[in-house]
Amino acid sequence: EDQVTQSPEALRLQEGESSSLNCSYTVSGLRGLFWYRQDPGKGPEFLFTLYSAGEEKEKERLKATLTKKESFLHITAPKPEDSATYLCAVQGVGGGNKLTFGTGTQLKVEL
Amino acid sequence: GAVVSQHPSWVICKSGTSVKIECRSLDFQATTMFWYRQFPKQSLMLMATSNEGSKATYEQGVEKDKFLINHASLTLSTLTVTSAHPEDSSFYICSALAGGAADTQYFGPGTRLTVL
């Protein structure tokens, strides 16, 4: 059974204070690892897909990296508008297109 | 691109009534859509996979007679919660598999269901 564990559960940063969110996973053959952002009362917004160890993707202040056991979402010089819950999900071989989600990291960026 | 809408965004109903939620892919065709529910402070739990023109596949523990799913076209899937009870109150979110990047799910904005 695929499993995803995210840490920390919650993170409070000052504006401009860079940090990283962790996503550890176990899956029987990784098809893809996904990062989403979810604002309160909204559906998840797609950020990145990573397919193989060593892959990196960037979007504005966000950079996602992948190893064989975990993924990191690095946030550089965050702004208050980056405050949200960040969700990690994996798609395993043999599971069709199903996603298994972690419980998320709730990020709050303060002025 | 890859926009998914849901209607209604929120609904309040009495116990015992049925509620229908629509999920539409606005700018792409989706042969596969998914339905999730999310409780406060918890992550998304997959309820069922909806394939256009065929019966939905339900996850273990999800009552298929209670949560009716219909995927009649390449842009529309519906979830009907039948004989709703207060314990069915939750945030229901759909997603659609985009054709270009076939393994990426794009999510709708969600529907907040409250059963009194």
Side-chain angles (χ1 to χ4, degrees):
Chain A
E1 184 179 335
D2 300 344
Q3 288 189 325
V4 178
T5 303
Q6 290 187 246
S7 62
E9 289 186 11
L11 180 62
R12 182 171 286 187
L13 300 174
Q14 295 295 311
E15 185 175 13
E17 181 186 1
S18 301
S19 188
S20 296
L21 314 182
N22 178 264
C23 170
S24 297
Y25 65 91
T26 55
V27 63
S28 54
L30 180 70
R31 287 186 61 198
L33 183 140
F34 300 79
W35 283 99
Y36 290 87
R37 167 193 171 129
Q38 186 175 26
D39 292 300
K42 302 284 181 65
E45 175 189 346
F46 171 71
L47 295 174
F48 304 109
T49 307
L50 302 168
Y51 296 100
S52 58
E55 190 174 1
E56 299 182 352
K57 288 193 176 174
E58 287 187 69
K59 179 181 180 181
E60 296 181 355
R61 295 177 292 281
L62 301 177
K63 178 180 176 180
T65 62
L66 181 65
T67 72
K68 289 186 178 180
K69 294 183 179 181
E70 57 191 351
S71 176
F72 291 94
L73 184 65
H74 307 278
I75 303 178
T76 302
K79 298 181 177 182
E81 53 261 43
D82 295 322
S83 297
T85 296
Y86 290 85
L87 298 169
C88 172
V90 295
Q91 192 177 78
V93 171
N97 291 299
K98 291 183 186 180
L99 292 178
T100 300
F101 279 88
T103 52
T105 293
Q106 188 173 5
L107 173 67
K108 185 170 177 60
V109 182
E110 299 172 331
L111 291 170
Chain B
V3 179
V4 178
S5 70
Q6 274 184 250
H7 179 79
S9 55
W10 60 270
V11 57
I12 301 173
C13 69
K14 292 182 178 180
S15 186
T17 61
S18 295
V19 174
K20 180 185 282 188
I21 302 170
E22 293 186 348
C23 176
R24 294 181 185 272
S25 56
L26 297 185
D27 53 358
F28 65 101
Q29 293 183 329
T31 55
T32 304
M33 292 183 173
F34 302 86
W35 287 95
Y36 295 81
R37 63 190 298 182
Q38 186 177 34
F39 291 105
K41 304 292 185 182
Q42 295 187 25
S43 193
L44 283 77
M45 295 299 296
L46 179 65
M47 298 175 65
T49 302
S50 168
N51 292 296
E52 187 265 339
S54 63
K55 290 184 178 180
T57 303
Y58 292 81
E59 294 300 297
Q60 193 171 10
V62 177
E63 300 176 60
K64 61 181 180 181
D65 294 331
K66 181 170 187 62
F67 299 99
L68 301 179
I69 292 172
N70 183 274
H71 193 158
S73 78
L74 289 173
T75 59
L76 174 64
S77 176
T78 60
L79 168 68
T80 301
V81 183
T82 63
S83 187
H85 289 95
E87 57 265 31
D88 298 323
S89 298
S90 188
F91 192 51
Y92 291 87
I93 313 174
C94 72
S95 71
L97 215 55
D103 56 355
T104 298
Q105 292 183 29
Y106 293 89
F107 286 82
T111 297
R112 173 73 59 192
L113 170 64
T114 301
V115 184
L116 302 176

